[in-house]
Amino acid sequence: MKKKDSLLTFVCACVPGAGQMYYGYMKRGLSLITYFCLSIAIGAYVSPVLVAALIVWMYSYFDTYDLIRYMAAGEPKEDGFLVPPGLENILSADGQFLGTILPGKHKLIGWGCILLGVWVLFGNVISPVLTMVFDLLGLSSVWYQIYRNAPSLVVAIVLVYAGSRLLGLGGPRRKNNDTDDLPPYQGQ
């Protein structure tokens, strides 16, 4: 392995994805810069998501030096896209994008479409009508506060709900037994 400049390594490590690309991990670096930019873009609308940008930045910084450590030990990591678990097959070489994502993730895509539709409906139809109503009632400052803080409120509610479910605080869970629908075994 050719010795790289340590100052340039530090500068590149401070930019998400650049440190990985400097050491030849193009797919890994592209993944990190994409996640960083997406979290900044979404965070512009929903401010709590900006924490994800900080997490991606820190991960990228330390991952650069982790890659260097593995390369120095003579065991370089394989370059690949960093994708969430369960979505590895999306980037398959045969080009089967929808065929690999839709069978297992159709409900997730459906909920995403519903949420996007509600967001567009609210922003283009409901919000202007409510703005006029609150203006007529002389409560425009109240509507401004509700409208301005709604995305943060929704994210906070989702996070509290998800955290309580993960901790088992959401009440008893219904056990889903796949054998409930089957007739009893008659034997031979």
Side-chain angles (χ1 to χ4, degrees), residues 45-48 145-160:
Y45 295 103
V46 183
S47 56
Q145 289 299 321
I146 293 170
Y147 184 73
R148 188 177 129 235
N149 294 313
S152 297
L153 180 64
V154 169
V155 169
I157 290 170
V158 167
L159 289 174
V160 168

Side-chain angles (χ1 to χ4, degrees), residues 38-74:
L38 280 174
S39 59
I40 295 270
I42 295 170
Y45 295 103
V46 183
S47 56
V49 178
L50 285 175
V51 173
L54 179 64
I55 292 169
V56 171
W57 178 79
M58 288 190 300
Y59 177 83
S60 177
Y61 179 83
F62 290 110
D63 185 56
T64 299
Y65 288 102
D66 188 52
L67 291 173
I68 294 169
R69 185 174 58 88
Y70 274 93
M71 290 170 65

Side-chain angles (χ1 to χ4, degrees), residues 84-168:
L87 299 179
E88 302 91 9
N89 295 332
I90 291 176
L91 303 171
S92 61
D94 59 0
Q96 292 290 328
F97 176 75
L98 291 176
T100 56
I101 189 172
L102 285 180
K105 308 293 186 248
H106 64 283
K107 288 184 180 180
L108 182 63
I109 293 171
W111 278 110
C113 290
I114 289 171
L115 289 175
L116 183 62
V118 167
W119 182 29
V120 170
L121 182 66
F122 179 78
N124 293 333
V125 177
I126 298 170
S127 176
V129 170
L130 288 176
T131 301
M132 289 188 304
V133 168
F134 276 84
D135 283 345
L136 288 173
L137 297 174
L139 300 171
S140 58
S141 62
V142 173
W143 172 245
Y144 173 74
Q145 289 299 321
I146 293 170
Y147 184 73
R148 188 177 129 235
N149 294 313
S152 297
L153 180 64
V154 169
V155 169
I157 290 170
V158 167
L159 289 174
V160 168
Y161 176 75
S164 66
R165 294 299 291 181
L166 288 172
L167 293 174

